Amino acid sequence: MGLQGFYIPMDVAPERLEEVLRTLPHMGFVGVNITIPHKEKVLQIADLVSDRATLIGAANTLIFRRDGKIHADNTDGYGFIENVKQGAPDWKPSHAHAVVLGAGGASRAVIASLLDVGVPEILLTNRTRPRAEKLKEDFGQRVRVIDWVQAGNVLEGAGIVVNATSLGMVGQPELRVPLDGLRPGTVVTDLVYAPLETRLLAEARQIGCTVVDGLGMLLHQAVPGFERWFGERPVVDDDLRRAVLG
Ligand code: ATR
């Protein structure tokens, strides 16, 4: 885009986070993306927190305003939905329930956005069941908690199945949920993008599901922040994907 700007990685110790964030605006920074392990803690530091970030309990995008205030937002859910819409344009959110595997920070963003676009019910399953119960408490009656060992039994009839656990990621164990309940046409998406084609996605593809990989979520979640910081809205397309993969 010919912008005069930089996007640089910074490794910040948790106990230094506030000091660093208060200093960056004085150095000309217009904002930052926030990732593990700072996404929750940053809510206490920000001067303004969006409703979305409050509901999710985490922020991934900070905007440094001209008046010096730090505005925290969460665009993960937006990125998730935009990615699914782009990869599975025929998906009708209101037509069938969703199945979400995992109840961590990423899952909270996914659930908020699925409820937002009108999914009638979310069947949520997590190895540590109390974490899923807590999520139900926060997000309400449209979330139903399923036992982790039952995960394979609720895939049939789902409109969309989401892996929001870290299982299947390079260096992590494989996701072992039995997939024979999956039906052709169901949208299956993985938040894991390394590898790009996880075993979940490969098996789902074989069954005839519409498969959406996790790289697009990473790209789409960056769009709102980029636009706020630089005044231009990037387009997520094949060229951008190729550039990132390259
Ligand atoms: P993130 O912010 O990426 O969601 P997280 O909050 O650490 O990260 O959540 C990781 C998710 O992967 C959780 O749902 C976690 O399940 P637990 O709540 O039981 O820990 C899930 N997960 C990680 N390792 C797992 C494993 N070996 N088996 C099953 N689930 C696993």
Side-chain angles (χ1 to χ4, degrees):
M1 285 178 162
L3 295 168
Q4 287 238 322
F6 301 92
Y7 184 80
I8 60 164
M10 287 181 277
D11 193 357
V12 179
E15 64 275 14
R16 292 272 182 227
L17 183 63
E18 176 151 22
E19 200 181 334
V20 168
L21 289 177
R22 294 286 168 204
T23 305
L24 289 176
H26 303 296
M27 298 165 69
F29 282 80
V30 290
V32 289
N33 283 127
I34 297 281
T35 191
I36 289 168
H38 303 305
K39 289 173 96 164
E40 288 91 21
K41 186 171 174 221
V42 78
L43 295 189
Q44 283 134 41
I45 298 169
D47 304 299
L48 301 135
V49 179
S50 72
D51 291 345
R52 249 181 325 216
T54 303
L55 179 66
I56 294 165
N60 70 333
T61 304
L62 300 188
I63 294 128
F64 301 152
R65 300 191 342 177
R66 289 233 171 80
D67 61 7
K69 291 208 162 37
I70 298 177
H71 180 208
D73 196 6
N74 193 312
T75 66
D76 282 332
Y78 165 85
F80 170 76
I81 291 293
E82 288 303 303
N83 184 38
V84 172
K85 279 194 201 158
Q86 192 172 41
D90 294 335
W91 175 53
K92 305 271 184 299
S94 61
H95 282 196
H97 69 264
V99 175
V100 176
L101 312 172
S107 170
R108 293 182 73 90
V110 166
I111 285 175
S113 66
L114 285 173
L115 292 173
D116 239 18
V117 294
V119 167
E121 189 177 41
I122 298 173
L123 306 186
L124 172 65
T125 179
N126 195 54
R127 173 183 60 178
T128 313
R129 189 176 168 120
R131 250 185 134 182
E133 302 281 3
K134 173 73 177 70
L135 240 139
K136 182 192 168 62
E137 244 174 64
D138 293 348
F139 287 94
Q141 291 308 313
R142 277 154 73 200
V143 177
R144 179 148 62 97
V145 177
I146 305 291
D147 224 63
W148 182 240
V149 292
Q150 296 295 325
N153 299 335
V154 294
L155 301 178
E156 200 172 341
I160 184 168
V161 175
V162 186
N163 176 35
T165 74
S166 49
L167 295 173
M169 193 187 293
V170 176
Q172 299 286 322
E174 277 298 346
L175 179 70
R176 300 223 169 270
V177 172
L179 300 177
D180 35 304
L182 281 177
R183 293 289 170 262
T186 297
V187 178
V188 178
T189 183
D190 205 323
L191 268 46
V192 170
Y193 55 83
L196 206 50
E197 175 115 328
T198 58
R199 197 161 88 185
L200 167 67
L201 297 187
E203 285 184 27
R205 193 186 296 285
Q206 286 220 319
I207 292 169
C209 299
T210 306
V211 163
V212 183
D213 71 48
L215 182 65
M217 176 174 169
L218 179 72
L219 298 176
H220 281 285
Q221 64 78 34
V223 170
F226 193 101
E227 186 178 25
R228 291 290 296 274
W229 303 326
F230 299 121
E232 293 200 49
R233 193 171 179 85
V235 176
V236 178
D237 56 13
D238 284 341
D239 285 347
L240 183 62
R241 265 181 76 93
R242 268 195 296 275
V244 169
L245 288 170

